[in-house]
């Protein structure tokens, strides 16, 4: 792997010789493949999370910090698994699943979450992870500023099928100007991408010291806008997929110094091999995943609480002790998110309603996902029909009798005409459906 000389010099100094050599060793291995099961929204009908009576296949080992996560041996052809398109699972890098653990830990120290914003959400991995953990009544706004990426986000959020999700296409400053307020904001900010070099070698050619400088400045602009949208006592989760301290520890220190921000310690297991701060003299609770040390790609994350000035909040910490804090007021204006003309909301071009259902065979399901017309059983009602696979919805058709016109959105369709000789069914190899 031809890494930039500037990157090697800076990162070796940052990590130290032993840690850096372990990181380099990761390039000699295949990047791990992992999926996260959808146990919300009625998509996956086996209750996996926390069920210790069920033993997964030895080919599918659990991700230790995420109940719903599994490592796979090799990379199957996800494109040809109808349950993948149905939103039964999300193909997500394992370190990013740490978001589930963060939220579950925060529930022990924060009284409630009514509205949550994922500010830079595409393609949707962290949003779907959060939606799986957040209370059902909590409203999640998943936003992406880039229009083409926002459409991919809309597809993945729609397929995930969970309630109370809003997809938007706005810049961070638009939320500030709209005076929108949230209890929690995830700032998974654009970064120099050093942590993705193994998984996506194309990112190597895009890296430069100049880009690092550009990124940390942009990240502070995003945080400045997002901080104005955070309720008093609310939480910001700051994350990147890079290693250098300018985009990570130094930005966290800047947030702490510039705003009334208190970093929050997240309990972890030493066996997870998560690395803490690498900035000399800075020991705030931050969490860094390094390939070769943790089983995943690069991730840096820190949770910070906005200063509290009014009400009291009793917080239960990890050792089951209590302390006194101040709670945010739930003063959200949901109509502001839905109707404000300055905030662009996206919705899928799909008929809405509870339609009759018809289950498809594997070959029929692939035909549907390719956008082909279907012939349904003679007794199928005319009009809109939801086609399913193994009882799980794939999408709508319009049955006109002699055929059913395909209404699956064109951008979502399988493009390849080459089909596998045998069914690709990933979940059946974890547990019998």
């Amino acid at each position: 792997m031809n890494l930039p000389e500037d990157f090697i010099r800076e990162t070796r100094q940052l990590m130290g010789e032993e840690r850096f050599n372990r990181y380099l060793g990761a390039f000699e291995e295949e990047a791990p493949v992992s999926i996260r099961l959808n146990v919300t929204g009625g998509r996956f009908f086996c209750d996996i999370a926390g069920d210790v009576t069920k033993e997964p296949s030895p080919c599918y080992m659990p991700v230790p910090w995420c109940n719903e996560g599994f490592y796979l041996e090799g990379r199957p052809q996800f494109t040809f698994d109808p349950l993948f398109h149905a939103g039964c699972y999300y193909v997500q890098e394992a370190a990013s699943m740490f978001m589930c653990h963060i939220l579950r830990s925060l529930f022990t120290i924060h009284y409630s979450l009514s509205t949550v914003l994922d500010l830079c959400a595409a393609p949707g991995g962290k949003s779907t992870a959060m939606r799986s953990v957040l209370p059902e009544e909590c409203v999640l706004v998943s936003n992406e500023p880039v229009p083409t990426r926002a459409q991919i986000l809309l597809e993945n959020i729609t397929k995930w099928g969970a309630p109370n999700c809003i997809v938007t296409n706005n810049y961070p400053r638009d939320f500030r100007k709209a005076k929108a307020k949230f209890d929690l904001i995830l700032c998974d900010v654009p970064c120099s991408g050093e942590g993705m070099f193994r998984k996506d070698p194309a990112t190597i050619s895009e890296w430069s010291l100049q880009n690092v400088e550009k990124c940390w400045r942009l990240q502070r602009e995003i945080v400045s806008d997002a901080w104005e949208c955070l309720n008093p006592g609310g939480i910001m989760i700051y994350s990147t997929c890079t290693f250098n301290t300018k985009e990570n520890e130094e930005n966290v220190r800047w947030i702490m110094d510039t705003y009334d921000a208190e970093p929050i310690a997240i309990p972890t297991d030493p066996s997870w091999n998560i690395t803490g701060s690498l900035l000399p003299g800075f020991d705030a609770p931050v969490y860094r995943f390094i390939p070769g040390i943790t089983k995943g790609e690069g991730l840096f994350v820190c949770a910070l609480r906005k200063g509290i000035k009014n009400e009291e909040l009793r917080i239960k910490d990890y050792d089951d002790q209590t302390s006194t804090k101040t709670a945010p007021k739930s003063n959200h204006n949901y109509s502001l998110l839905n109707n404000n003309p300055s905030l662009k909301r996206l919705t899928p071009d799909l008929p809405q309603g509870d339609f009759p259902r018809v289950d498809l065979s594997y070959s029929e399901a692939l035909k549907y996902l390719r956008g082909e017309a279907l012939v349904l059983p003679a007794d199928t009602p005319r009009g809109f029909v939801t086609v399913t696979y193994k009882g799980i919805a794939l999408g709508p058709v319009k049955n006109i009798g002699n055929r059913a016109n395909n209404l699956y959105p064109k951008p979502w369709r399988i493009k390849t005409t080459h089909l596998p000789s045998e069914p690709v069914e990933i979940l059946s190899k974890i547990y019998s459906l």
Side-chain angles (χ1 to χ4, degrees):
M1 185 65 66
N2 295 320
L3 299 174
E5 291 184 5
D6 287 338
F7 170 78
I8 292 175
R9 183 185 67 254
E10 297 275 335
T11 309
R12 175 180 274 121
Q13 181 178 1
L14 171 69
M15 294 184 180
E17 198 68 28
E18 189 272 338
R19 188 181 284 125
F20 182 69
N21 286 336
R22 291 180 66 182
Y23 164 67
L24 288 182
F27 287 93
E28 304 300 321
E29 307 169 357
E30 290 291 331
V33 179
S34 49
I35 63 172
R36 180 172 39 78
L37 303 182
N38 185 350
V39 295
T40 63
R43 293 291 181 175
F44 189 57
F45 44 80
C46 291
D47 186 11
I48 303 298
D51 190 342
V52 297
T53 66
K54 297 180 179 180
E55 292 293 333
S57 161
C59 296
Y60 293 75
M61 300 306 297
V63 175
W65 46 83
C66 178
N67 293 342
E68 303 86 358
F70 288 88
Y71 294 105
L72 279 58
E73 283 194 350
R75 190 174 188 88
Q77 294 178 300
F78 295 111
T79 298
F80 300 117
D81 183 1
L83 294 184
F84 165 67
H85 297 277
C88 288
Y89 61 93
Y90 194 97
V91 182
Q92 184 176 33
E93 190 278 311
S96 295
M97 298 182 195
F98 191 61
M99 196 60 57
C100 294
H101 176 73
I102 291 176
L103 282 185
R104 287 185 168 117
S105 301
L106 289 176
F107 291 151
T108 70
I109 59 175
H110 192 275
Y111 82 112
S112 68
L113 295 173
S114 297
T115 52
V116 172
L117 171 64
D118 186 353
L119 194 56
C120 309
K126 291 184 176 67
S127 273
T128 55
M130 291 196 297
R131 184 67 274 176
S132 295
V133 178
L134 291 169
E136 185 174 307
E137 64 275 10
C138 178
V139 175
L140 171 64
V141 178
S142 298
N143 178 73
E144 172 56 43
V146 181
T148 54
R149 288 171 54 83
Q151 290 298 323
I152 298 172
L153 173 65
L154 176 64
E155 175 185 352
N156 288 327
I157 294 296
T158 302
K159 289 180 176 179
W160 200 247
N164 288 330
C165 291
I166 299 173
V167 178
T168 59
N169 174 210
N170 301 286
Y171 287 101
R173 62 177 177 269
D174 295 328
F175 289 95
R176 175 177 55 81
K177 291 178 180 178
K179 302 186 184 303
K181 296 291 183 179
F182 301 89
D183 294 323
L184 183 146
I185 299 177
L186 168 60
C187 287
D188 186 34
V189 290
C191 68
S192 59
E194 298 165 350
M196 302 302 289
F197 283 179
R198 177 175 65 164
K199 182 180 178 182
D200 184 8
T203 58
I204 298 174
S205 62
E206 299 171 359
W207 187 91
S208 67
L209 291 175
Q210 292 78 12
N211 193 37
V212 171
E213 289 292 315
K214 178 182 177 181
C215 285
W216 73 257
R217 296 177 189 277
L218 172 62
Q219 290 153 1
R220 293 189 183 188
E221 291 178 13
I222 292 172
V223 167
S224 296
D225 285 327
W227 198 261
E228 294 297 316
C229 299
L230 197 60
N231 276 319
I235 295 169
M236 175 177 288
I237 301 175
Y238 177 85
S239 68
T240 74
C241 59
T242 203
F243 298 131
N244 67 80
T245 60
K246 286 189 175 182
E247 298 178 70
N248 293 330
E249 285 93 340
E250 292 178 53
N251 269 352
V252 170
R253 184 172 61 185
W254 173 81
I255 296 171
M256 294 169 59
D257 292 344
T258 305
Y259 304 102
D260 187 9
E262 171 193 0
I264 302 172
I266 304 297
T268 61
D269 191 305
S271 67
W272 300 350
N273 297 318
I274 298 175
T275 304
S277 173
L278 294 180
L279 180 65
F282 184 75
D283 59 357
V286 300
Y287 306 89
R288 187 193 299 275
F289 291 68
I290 302 175
I293 298 175
T294 47
K295 192 173 181 180
E297 303 310 310
L299 174 76
F300 174 92
V301 63
C302 180
L304 303 112
R305 184 190 297 275
K306 190 173 186 177
I308 312 168
K309 300 178 181 178
N310 298 314
E311 305 170 339
E312 287 190 349
L313 169 65
R314 295 194 58 79
I315 294 179
K316 185 178 182 181
D317 64 24
Y318 191 61
D319 296 322
D320 211 28
Q321 298 173 344
T322 58
S323 60
T324 303
K325 298 284 183 181
T326 310
K329 288 186 176 181
S330 182
N331 58 353
H332 313 103
N333 185 343
Y334 298 121
S335 63
L336 181 67
L337 298 176
N338 287 319
N339 303 321
N340 193 298
S342 64
L343 295 177
K344 183 180 179 181
R345 178 177 177 177
L346 305 180
T347 55
D349 184 18
L350 292 168
Q352 303 297 315
D354 186 13
F355 308 126
R357 293 187 166 217
V358 174
D359 206 49
L360 304 179
S361 67
Y362 179 76
S363 61
E364 290 172 330
L366 289 187
K367 286 181 63 177
Y368 174 74
L369 294 169
R370 288 170 57 184
E372 298 179 25
L374 301 174
V375 177
L376 302 180
D379 60 351
T380 303
R382 301 288 182 96
F384 292 126
V385 173
T386 296
V387 293
T388 65
Y389 178 69
K390 291 186 179 291
I392 299 176
L394 294 176
V397 297
K398 188 171 184 179
N399 186 32
I400 60 175
N402 60 332
R403 72 175 187 275
N405 292 332
N406 199 313
L407 300 179
Y408 196 61
K410 290 183 179 180
W412 302 4
R413 294 176 182 178
I414 298 174
K415 303 300 190 295
T416 180
T417 58
H418 173 72
L419 299 179
S421 56
E422 297 291 333
V424 177
E425 296 179 325
I426 285 88
L427 295 187
S428 63
K429 296 179 181 179
I430 301 180
Y431 296 104
S432 177
L433 294 182

